[in-house]
Amino acid sequence: GNPYQPAIEALESHPEKKFYNVSNLGGAKYDTLPYSIRVLFESSVRNCDGFLVKETDAMNILDWKTKQNRVEVPFCPARVVLQDFTGIPAMVDFAAMREAVKNAGGDPVKVNPACPTDLTVDHSLQIDFSKCAIQNAPNPGGGEQKPLARLSPLKPPLRKPPPCRGHSGCRGSCGAGEAGRSSGPFSAQIENTPILCPFHLQPVPEPETVLKNQEMEFGRNRERLQFFKWSSKVFENISIIPPETGMAHQVNLEYLSRVVFDVKNFLHPDSVVGTDSHTTMVNGLGILGWGVGGIEAEAVMLGMPLTLTLPEVVGCELTGTVSPFATSIDIVLSVTKHLRQADVAGKFVEFFGSGVSQLSIADRTTIANMCPEYGAILSFFPVDNVTLRHLKHAGFDKAKLEVTEAYLKAVKLFRNDESSSTEPEYSQVVQVSLSSIIPYVSGPKRSQDRVAVNNMKSDFQACLNEKSGVKGFQIAAEKQNDVVPVQYEGNEYKLSHGCVVIAAVISCTNNCNPSVMLAAGLLAKKAVEAGLVVKPYIRTSLSPGSGMVTHYLSSSGVLPYLSKLGFEVVGYGCSTCVGNTAPLPEAIRNAIKQGDIIACGVLSGTKNFEGCLCDCVRANYLASPPLVVAYAIAGTVQIDLDTEPLGTGSNGKSIYLRDIWPTRQELHTVEEECVISSMFKELKEKMEKGNKRWNLLEAPESTLFPWDLKSTYIRCPSFFDKLAREAVPPQAVEKAHVLLFLGDSVTTDHISPAGSIARSSAAAKYLTSKGLTPREFNSYGARRGNDAVMTRGTFANIKLLNKFIGKPAPKTVHFPSGQTLDVFEAAELYQKEGIPVIILAGKKYGLGSSRDWAAKGPFLLGVKAVLAESYEKVHRSQLIGIGIAPLQFRPGENPTTLGLTGREQFSILFPPDLSPRMTLDIKTSTGKVFSVIALFENNMEITLYKNGGSLNFVARRFL
């Protein structure tokens, strides 16, 4: 039994509700704990069973002040959130585990998630169609024809808009007359622009663009969706959120978050781990949560606690007020800069100070969302009065709010704005003045490289001059002013360095913050009214995080203006941010390549790694949504937005950014009128009802999944092929060759791409051998349920820089034969020859989004160990979770200082008494011997490694 059962009490205001009163257990020590550590303490008390969670674990957490960074502690999250890119391999592994357990004599029905799990199908969306929902518009591309006329909102339209083509159920212009029009405070009608039937009245059909992209999504992903539906039928404790509902982190924030769990009248804090890198967003609601790999998520789903080193907690004190011209993304990037400089990697961050109460929940969740980019495990905002007001608008009923507030105050998890004198103690404090924040963008290759908007022009020029590297492009001085003429749709345009060819408004970091999306819409409105246009060759798109975003853009009357500039709603999903961008027009691609033009993409997402949007777009900038629209209008990033005009208006006058930038008062007015609680209610109804395509989708109901041997989407993986009841001790690695010799900042996108499958890649060759055409390849992310595709896609990124090759290419050298081959082909030869392989790397190996295939792929390629200078924390744990040893050079050492060429063979001996951070000796074929650190942080990680990874460890529990 639980030794802390005497601490169970009844909630004073609601006696039927019970809870562990952990504040009484801890006394004065508890009162000084950071709020995030109090959540860990409550979890350890409630789940204490003497086996997985011990009484000493709870006491170690209570003694956080002296035990931080010194002990490992278990944590049992209240729930798990999966998105489909990482969710499908997790569920495929569950299906394969059922089969393996049955083959080994166990009961497959017992293989179920023990922890409540929600899987959101949101990463499948690709932009096949864009800008096609505006019927009868003279310039669907955004501006190649005459400027648009504008009508006063008080005057009738010049002519009746035509019916929406193919939308028989529309209640907009074709069914409801004037009532179907947008009726927000900024709903001026535009000549020749039909009323878009969606989102103005409820219920209404989706626009043509969304419908076409939905149809393509269901068509190409039918096998995957049928597998998900089978999973929802046969596995207990799993729910599937169907496509076109919203992004995983957005759904988690708007729909799945409880703040306080109420399970059979027993209360405890909400907490979550998720396989989406944006899981940390929920910390803005006072819900402890962070991103993990699919491997760790599967272990939690099966009832195992996460094990983590009791973290340091950095207190981030916010003071001052925000500039009216700074958006939430500016706040995010400013906080990111300060926290990067403070070295918060592997730590919790917790916000306090007078500035916190001035931030809305939208601001907080936006800040919390970006914490993986500055290396923190999470960024936590304790629940306060601002949170409660948000929950009221989000649909929490009065009784639930009363219970939530009473419980959180009883266990001292509620932050009182007026009690600043009782702030918790922190490991260190970082101060950030909100008053000092000015607008920034990030790029052109890394999110941490911030550029003040007023310095953008000069910074880009400097990038052209710099040597090729993390920021430079090394363009010769005489080539920097090159202009390449190009014919497109009957008109001539001129491309030069800095030209914008992709502009994507993705409500990703911004999806929870109406102000920045509304700012983009209001800016578009003012731009259209001034006669500004977007060049038609620019690949513009608008991908809302959920229907709520589209709803408030529509009800505020700004959606038609975004559409007029080419920012048409393309669907609901990650799209551009994960590389699912439709190809640029052939003429534009050819011009860029022939002129060696540094073309640019501008997007409001979180990822701008080189080549992630398109192989010919080498510079990518992260910007707030209104700045994405502004740069699209300008057509170039080589512009000083303070002193140079965006373009010429219909009156012949120059239009500057300051002329069309919405004021904070305008934003506040629109936000108050359009972002209302009814939207959350409608969204919840939509999520619970699903959609027609999903509801009609047929799926099997058998206990074991009927694997289709011809399927190129779903395949039973080989992780359990050697499953035995007893674990085999780690084997020595003898005479291993180096598969890849990599440098610094190798990202998970370099290791396991999520975007389109290149026609010349090993994965493409495999799919072609199965009878598929390039149009049917889909993306790597969509095929994560097929280990044959994903193994071939490992290290297939065109920007992979392998020192053996000397230039970016997904190639390596097979040393026994001397051949230069695709990475998969070389690994396949090594495996046939019985030769193990390792990877050499520099600093920050595994940077970026959490991807389990960034560990699974190398494992199936035969990689036994990675030897790097440093690792991204989540990726390091993923390597252990699949059975790959993460080894680290000793401080001050690296391949260069040790004289390693990578052409040697390496031998590594793992002792039976392996311990955390043990020093191991490595011998090379040249006779050199050097020491490395085995980067296992705790005994649980060693146990997992000895079992061949967490999948086999968990499977053995059923045997």
Side-chain angles (χ1 to χ4, degrees):
N2 189 320
Y4 295 111
Q5 282 188 354
I8 296 177
E9 293 183 7
L11 193 63
E12 185 176 348
S13 59
H14 296 75
E16 74 280 6
K17 307 292 184 182
K18 301 295 190 294
F19 67 102
Y20 280 96
N21 195 339
V22 289
S23 63
N24 288 343
L25 286 174
K29 282 185 179 180
Y30 183 86
D31 293 342
T32 62
L33 289 177
Y35 290 92
S36 51
I37 300 299
R38 297 178 196 184
V39 177
L40 293 182
F41 180 60
E42 191 281 338
S43 173
S44 67
V45 168
R46 177 168 38 88
N47 291 288
C48 187
D49 61 358
F51 177 58
L52 293 175
V53 182
K54 300 176 182 178
E55 193 171 355
T56 53
D57 294 323
M59 290 301 101
N60 282 336
I61 297 174
L62 186 62
D63 290 332
W64 168 82
K65 189 175 181 179
T66 59
K67 296 294 181 66
Q68 56 185 291
N69 266 347
R70 295 179 55 193
V71 297
E72 58 186 56
V73 295
F75 174 55
C76 300
R79 55 191 175 90
V80 174
V81 171
L82 306 173
Q83 44 89 347
D84 56 313
F85 268 19
T86 47
I88 193 164
M91 297 313 301
V92 166
D93 289 345
F94 265 76
M97 190 183 297
R98 277 195 165 195
E99 192 128 337
V101 168
K102 180 180 183 298
N103 292 338
D107 183 0
V109 176
K110 292 182 179 180
V111 181
N112 288 296
C115 182
T117 302
D118 301 285
L119 191 154
T120 303
V121 185
D122 74 329
H123 275 46
S124 304
L125 177 67
Q126 295 188 36
I127 304 174
D128 296 285
F129 301 96
S130 63
K131 307 176 185 176
C132 62
I134 305 176
Q135 308 300 337
N136 199 36
N139 59 339
E144 75 275 18
Q145 298 188 20
K146 64 181 182 180
L148 300 175
R150 178 167 63 92
L151 295 180
S152 165
L154 301 178
K155 296 179 181 180
L158 296 183
R159 63 181 181 82
K160 183 178 180 181
C164 298
R165 184 170 58 196
H167 295 161
S168 59
C170 174
R171 292 176 55 197
S173 60
C174 51
E178 296 301 307
R181 299 190 180 283
S182 176
S183 57
F186 299 96
S187 56
Q189 299 305 318
I190 305 174
E191 181 182 7
N192 291 331
T193 303
I195 305 305
L196 296 180
C197 57
F199 316 119
H200 294 289
L201 290 176
Q202 300 296 324
V204 292
E206 301 289 339
E208 183 181 352
T209 304
V210 176
L211 290 172
K212 286 187 174 182
N213 283 317
Q214 283 182 4
E215 187 176 351
M216 291 294 292
E217 180 179 3
F218 269 81
R220 67 162 59 95
N221 296 297
R222 188 173 186 83
E223 284 184 50
R224 297 170 64 246
L225 296 177
Q226 286 178 323
F227 175 77
F228 282 139
K229 196 153 190 182
W230 169 80
S231 299
S232 68
K233 290 181 177 181
V234 303
F235 287 113
E236 298 176 2
N237 235 1
I238 181 84
S239 65
I240 306 293
I241 311 296
E244 299 308 319
T245 302
M247 299 180 188
H249 43 289
Q250 186 73 3
V251 172
N252 187 22
L253 186 72
E254 296 176 10
Y255 178 63
L256 302 176
S257 294
R258 283 84 154 175
V259 182
V260 172
F261 256 80
D262 186 342
V263 182
K264 297 180 180 178
N265 280 333
F266 203 96
L267 306 176
H268 63 85
D270 190 1
S271 58
V272 61
V273 292
T275 59
D276 187 271
S277 58
H278 304 292
T279 303
T280 52
M281 178 181 282
V282 297
N283 289 279
L285 272 180
I287 299 171
L288 196 72
W290 64 90
V292 297
I295 300 168
E296 299 97 321
E298 290 172 44
V300 175
M301 290 164 67
L302 286 170
M304 293 178 58
L306 286 177
T307 301
L308 70 158
T309 301
L310 190 61
E312 295 179 41
V313 181
V314 177
C316 185
E317 183 178 14
L318 302 181
T319 60
T321 56
V322 185
S323 162
F325 294 100
T327 65
S328 293
I329 200 68
D330 298 315
I331 299 172
V332 168
L333 296 177
S334 181
V335 172
T336 297
K337 176 185 175 182
H338 283 85
L339 293 178
R340 275 188 181 278
Q341 293 172 343
D343 186 23
V344 297
K347 304 173 185 178
F348 284 9
V349 174
E350 188 167 296
F351 291 87
F352 72 102
S354 60
V356 173
S357 59
Q358 299 175 44
L359 299 182
S360 67
I361 291 299
D363 293 327
R364 300 177 189 191
T365 51
T366 306
I367 293 171
N369 187 37
M370 283 291 281
C371 83
E373 304 302 328
Y374 47 80
I377 299 175
L378 55 87
S379 293
F380 191 72
F381 288 84
V383 174
D384 60 7
N385 289 319
V386 176
T387 315
L388 294 181
R389 285 196 296 270
H390 170 81
L391 295 177
K392 181 179 179 181
H393 293 148
F396 276 44
D397 59 43
K398 183 179 179 181
K400 187 173 182 179
L401 277 175
E402 289 176 352
V403 169
T404 298
E405 182 177 2
Y407 168 72
L408 292 174
K409 288 182 175 179
V411 293
K412 297 182 180 179
L413 286 173
F414 188 88
R415 179 181 175 274
N416 191 330
D417 299 338
E418 300 175 357
S419 302
S420 57
S421 60
T422 60
E423 297 288 4
E425 296 180 7
Y426 295 105
S427 308
Q428 68 182 94
V429 172
V430 176
Q431 292 184 327
V432 178
S433 172
L434 300 179
S435 305
S436 64
I437 296 173
I438 60 175
Y440 280 86
V441 297
S442 288
K445 298 181 181 181
R446 304 187 304 176
S447 59
Q448 63 261 43
D449 295 326
R450 301 173 69 226
V451 183
V453 171
N454 55 10
N455 293 331
M456 179 67 152
K457 185 175 182 178
S458 58
D459 188 83
F460 184 80
Q461 189 65 43
C463 291
L464 294 180
N465 290 320
E466 282 187 31
K467 291 183 178 180
S468 293
V470 296
K471 202 170 182 186
F473 297 104
Q474 200 169 350
I475 302 298
E478 64 273 14
K479 296 279 189 180
Q480 291 181 12
N481 295 318
D482 285 359
V483 175
V484 180
V486 58
Q487 290 288 327
Y488 183 71
E489 294 186 353
N491 293 305
E492 182 176 282
Y493 299 91
K494 295 180 179 179
L495 302 183
S496 59
H497 296 299
C499 62
V500 175
V501 294
I502 295 176
V505 175
I506 311 163
S507 56
C508 182
T509 44
N510 317 293
N511 53 11
C512 59
N513 198 322
S515 65
V516 287
M517 295 299 288
L518 287 172
L522 291 175
L523 187 143
K525 174 185 180 293
K526 292 186 175 186
V528 170
E529 290 175 346
L532 296 176
V533 294
V534 173
K535 294 179 177 65
Y537 60 79
I538 297 177
R539 182 69 68 184
T540 51
S541 61
L542 170 60
S543 181
S546 74
M548 184 191 77
V549 179
T550 308
H551 190 110
Y552 65 65
L553 288 177
S554 175
S555 61
S556 63
V558 300
L559 197 59
Y561 296 95
L562 285 164
S563 298
K564 280 297 178 184
L565 294 181
F567 291 94
E568 179 66 40
V569 175
V570 296
Y572 301 93
C574 290
S575 58
T576 305
C577 201
V578 293
N580 291 344
T581 305
L584 294 176
E586 193 69 24
I588 304 301
R589 289 174 59 90
N590 291 339
I592 292 172
K593 291 183 177 180
Q594 290 169 9
D596 194 26
I597 296 296
I598 306 299
C600 298
V602 187
L603 68 153
S604 59
T606 59
K607 301 175 182 67
N608 62 334
F609 304 124
E610 187 177 7
C612 72
L613 301 186
C614 178
D615 58 0
C616 65
V617 180
R618 293 153 66 184
N620 299 300
Y621 288 92
L622 304 181
S624 63
L627 283 177
V628 172
V629 177
Y631 279 114
I633 295 170
T636 180
V637 299
Q638 290 219 68
I639 181 175
D640 185 334
L641 293 176
D642 285 341
T643 61
E644 297 179 54
L646 294 175
T648 304
S650 54
N651 59 3
K653 294 182 179 180
S654 295
I655 306 297
Y656 294 83
L657 180 62
R658 60 180 174 269
D659 298 326
I660 61 174
W661 190 270
T663 66
R664 290 187 69 84
Q665 183 57 45
E666 285 177 308
L667 285 172
H668 178 75
T669 300
V670 177
E671 200 168 347
E672 286 294 317
E673 294 190 19
C674 304
V675 185
I676 55 178
S677 58
S678 62
M679 296 177 184
F680 288 91
K681 180 180 179 181
E682 290 166 4
L683 275 177
K684 291 178 180 179
E685 290 175 354
K686 178 181 178 182
M687 293 172 188
E688 291 165 359
K689 291 178 181 178
N691 59 62
K692 185 176 180 180
R693 287 188 180 88
W694 173 261
N695 294 338
L696 294 177
L697 188 68
E698 295 183 356
E701 299 184 11
S702 53
T703 300
L704 300 179
F705 185 70
W707 307 100
D708 181 357
L709 298 180
K710 297 180 181 180
S711 173
T712 56
Y713 277 103
I714 308 295
R715 203 174 96 130
C716 188
S718 57
F719 302 123
F720 302 101
D721 285 357
K722 298 179 181 180
L723 178 65
R725 288 183 178 271
E726 299 297 329
V728 178
Q731 302 298 304
V733 178
E734 298 284 354
K735 297 181 179 180
H737 271 295
V738 176
L739 181 64
L740 291 161
F741 191 177
L742 306 172
D744 296 340
S745 299
V746 174
T747 70
T748 51
D749 197 61
H750 286 118
I751 304 170
S752 181
S756 59
I757 298 173
R759 297 188 180 191
S760 60
S761 65
K765 295 173 187 176
Y766 168 80
L767 293 173
T768 301
S769 72
K770 298 295 182 179
L772 274 65
T773 64
R775 178 178 287 274
E776 299 169 310
F777 285 174
N778 210 326
S779 66
Y780 283 113
R783 294 191 180 274
R784 286 188 179 183
N786 186 322
D787 61 317
V789 172
M790 295 308 296
T791 306
R792 287 164 171 81
T794 303
F795 296 110
N797 190 305
I798 60 172
K799 296 299 180 181
L800 181 74
L801 185 56
N802 181 5
K803 294 183 180 181
F804 294 148
I805 304 301
K807 62 180 181 181
K811 302 283 185 179
T812 195
V813 176
H814 175 253
F815 289 108
S817 66
Q819 299 179 78
T820 298
L821 303 169
D822 286 338
V823 175
F824 171 78
E825 293 171 344
E828 190 176 39
L829 275 180
Y830 280 127
Q831 288 185 326
K832 288 180 180 178
E833 295 161 349
I835 301 174
V837 293
I838 65 171
I839 292 171
L840 290 182
K843 300 182 181 71
K844 298 181 180 180
Y845 180 78
L847 195 68
S849 299
S850 169
R851 294 183 185 172
D852 60 335
W853 271 108
K856 290 178 177 178
F859 175 80
L860 293 179
L861 288 178
V863 174
K864 303 300 182 184
V866 177
L867 178 53
E869 292 183 66
S870 64
Y871 293 84
E872 196 279 331
K873 181 178 177 66
V874 172
H875 185 65
R876 180 200 63 82
S877 67
Q878 287 182 326
L879 291 175
I880 297 170
I882 198 62
I884 296 176
L887 308 178
Q888 182 172 291
F889 290 104
R890 292 189 302 183
E893 294 184 349
N894 56 48
T896 302
T897 62
L898 293 171
L900 302 176
T901 67
R903 298 176 180 273
E904 307 91 343
Q905 287 183 279
F906 296 75
S907 296
I908 311 166
L909 178 65
F910 294 94
D913 57 345
L914 190 62
S915 61
R917 302 186 72 88
M918 174 179 277
T919 298
L920 305 177
D921 287 335
I922 295 182
K923 295 182 181 180
T924 71
S925 54
T926 61
K928 181 182 291 294
V929 178
F930 61 97
S931 297
V932 298
I933 302 168
L935 216 56
F936 302 101
E937 298 292 355
N938 50 60
N939 292 325
M940 176 58 78
E941 289 186 346
I942 292 174
T943 300
L944 293 178
Y945 179 71
K946 288 181 175 180
N947 274 268
S950 60
L951 292 177
N952 283 277
F953 174 76
V954 170
R956 286 190 177 95
R957 295 178 60 199
F958 295 103
L959 298 178

